[in-house]
Amino acid sequence: MLFLDQARILVKAGDGGNGCLAFRREKYVPRGGPSGGDGGHGGDVYLVSTAHQNTLLQFSYNPEHRAERGRHGEGSNRTGADGHSLDVLVPVGTVVYDEATGDRLFDFTESGQRFLAARGGRGGRGNARFATATHQAPTEHEPGRAGEEKRLRLELKLLADVGLVGFPNAGKSTLISRLSAARPKIADYPFTTLEPNLGVVELDDFRSFVVADLPGLIEGAHAGAGLGIQFLRHIERTRLLAHLVDVSTSSGRLPEEDFDIILRELASFSAELAEKPMIVVATKMDAAQDPDRVAALRCVAEERRLPFFEISSVTGLGIDALKHAMAERVLAGGH
Ligand SMILES: Nc1nc2c(ncn2[C@@H]2O[C@H](COP(=O)(O)OP(=O)(O)OP(=O)(O)O)[C@@H](O)[C@H]2O)c(=O)[nH]1
Ligand SMILES: [Mg+2]
């Protein structure tokens, strides 16, 4: 399965400047030779891959990208200046499609690749270019050609930075909907989430990271119970697991036992997953009437030296702190 981030953008290259119609003005000569300069070429639009971005999020704020037009030619054989080309940065891993035809146009596989997405229009020729021995006072001059305009669809295969794991109903989907624009189905019955959801979490400084909400795990998942552990491969490459444990009284289980069961299921999947950095998140604090349940979970987290957070996706308690704690752990070293 692919996790996709998508964006639709418009790229418009600059139009060419018009060629000029002009004649030299000379004293006592009623009409001098032709002197209309050419129009400048319109700027191109390039897509350029960078390792410093990891989502297509910026395009939802900024879907149109236009390069500068060429200046018109002028008299005295002055050529108009060419329009500046525009580089639009896209993350490595972006695939570019022509929205109109569906054609796949380019696949950015490494940083620094350049793809000419829209070619600037040629400048028109001024009348000076049309002069010949027998045609000394030409009035022909061309308009600039229009720059190319295209609608593109960008697709990016996302890699999750943080994986949310926990029992069904622990509040994983609710949390991702609180942290990101993802709107997965949320309900008070187990196995609401049948396939992983991805959400992009934005920070105030425009950095972002990707969170994966996984279907819930239960005891025996590694042997196929519930939805099994098949989805865990989606978080094999994450940098951090956030282990969500329902501390409200309504779960009908003990938080510290839930915690151990999930750890065992992760370990049955792979030693690598079991050893990934993990933070423990007590969820539904607004409905945690029994402080002992929270304390018991905190205690097992501390025994394992795992950072411990308390949140409520309903009231917003602890959400910001959790978001920053995740960011600190996955963005260290930087994107
Ligand atoms: N009181 C309270 N209820 C919550 C909170 N977070 C989630 N819930 C409720 O808990 C139930 C389960 O939430 P989900 O987000 O669907 O849980 P999930 O972990 O994604 O569950 P699965 O997809 O089945 O694995 C829903 O009824 C939510 O409204 C919370 O902070 N406080
Ligand atoms: Mg869910």
Side-chain angles (χ1 to χ4, degrees):
M1 177 198 297
L2 297 183
F3 290 135
L4 290 181
D5 194 8
Q6 285 205 12
R8 290 185 160 73
I9 64 170
L10 176 84
V11 286
K12 170 75 174 80
D15 296 336
N18 296 336
C20 175
L21 170 62
F23 292 94
R24 268 191 295 279
R25 285 166 178 276
E26 289 169 49
K27 256 185 183 171
Y28 313 119
V29 181
R31 197 173 235 198
S35 67
D38 299 341
H41 301 311
D44 302 321
V45 180
Y46 285 89
L47 303 187
V48 182
S49 51
T50 169
H52 299 291
Q53 286 174 6
N54 59 351
T55 76
L56 297 174
L57 207 62
Q58 77 271 19
F59 293 112
S60 54
Y61 310 116
N62 202 9
E64 293 192 9
H65 299 269
R66 297 170 189 276
E68 200 182 22
R69 65 162 305 142
R71 305 291 292 271
H72 299 316
E74 292 178 31
S76 310
N77 287 314
R78 281 195 301 252
T79 301
D82 292 343
H84 289 295
S85 290
L86 178 69
D87 286 356
V88 178
L89 296 177
V90 298
V92 174
T94 300
V95 183
V96 184
Y97 295 89
D98 185 319
E99 174 96 303
T101 63
D103 289 345
R104 182 190 176 108
L105 303 178
F106 200 80
D107 195 346
F108 288 96
T109 54
E110 56 191 83
S111 167
Q113 289 175 307
R114 299 175 66 81
F115 165 63
L116 177 59
R119 190 183 293 277
R122 291 184 58 82
R125 287 178 296 175
N127 70 328
R129 295 287 202 110
F130 293 88
T132 62
T134 56
H135 185 51
Q136 295 190 351
T139 53
E140 298 92 327
H141 59 289
E142 298 168 332
R145 302 264 180 80
E148 271 184 315
E149 175 174 314
K150 277 186 204 155
R151 289 187 184 279
L152 303 176
R153 183 164 56 83
L154 307 181
E155 267 188 20
L156 175 66
K157 186 178 165 186
L158 284 180
L159 289 179
D161 299 302
V162 181
L164 304 184
V165 295
F167 261 83
N169 266 340
K172 302 177 294 296
S173 302
T174 312
L175 176 61
I176 203 174
S177 73
R178 187 91 203 198
L179 289 174
S180 74
R183 291 292 172 262
K185 188 170 169 195
I186 291 169
D188 63 354
Y189 52 80
F191 305 116
T192 310
T193 302
L194 300 175
E195 290 188 336
N197 301 298
L198 277 220
V200 177
V201 181
E202 285 180 86
L203 302 170
D204 299 334
D205 57 7
F206 296 109
R207 290 183 307 164
S208 59
F209 59 93
V210 178
V211 175
D213 161 33
L214 291 200
L217 296 169
I218 56 173
E219 181 153 33
H222 69 278
L227 293 175
I229 51 174
Q230 52 170 325
F231 297 110
L232 289 179
R233 70 193 154 80
H234 291 290
I235 52 167
E236 270 184 307
R237 292 173 64 188
T238 59
R239 303 196 206 180
L240 178 71
L241 299 183
H243 185 161
L244 273 59
V245 185
D246 182 349
V247 291
S248 73
T249 16
S250 59
S251 84
R253 300 179 307 265
L254 293 175
E256 64 277 24
E257 284 181 16
D258 281 6
F259 178 78
D260 280 337
I261 290 169
I262 299 297
L263 283 191
R264 284 202 297 274
E265 296 304 325
L266 294 177
S268 317
F269 180 76
S270 78
E272 197 194 343
L273 207 54
E275 281 157 23
K276 244 184 220 307
M278 178 183 280
I279 60 179
V280 181
V281 183
T283 63
K284 310 191 191 180
M285 283 301 291
D286 58 286
Q289 282 85 6
D290 180 357
D292 290 348
R293 291 172 62 83
V294 185
L297 181 63
R298 177 196 295 277
C299 185
V300 292
E302 280 173 1
E303 274 168 17
R304 292 175 184 268
R305 300 183 187 285
L306 299 176
F308 181 71
F309 296 86
E310 298 174 7
I311 66 160
S312 164
S313 296
V314 169
T315 66
L317 170 92
I319 299 290
D320 238 39
L322 177 63
K323 174 166 141 180
H324 287 103
M326 287 175 168
E328 194 181 294
R329 285 165 176 79
V330 300
L331 297 177
H335 272 279

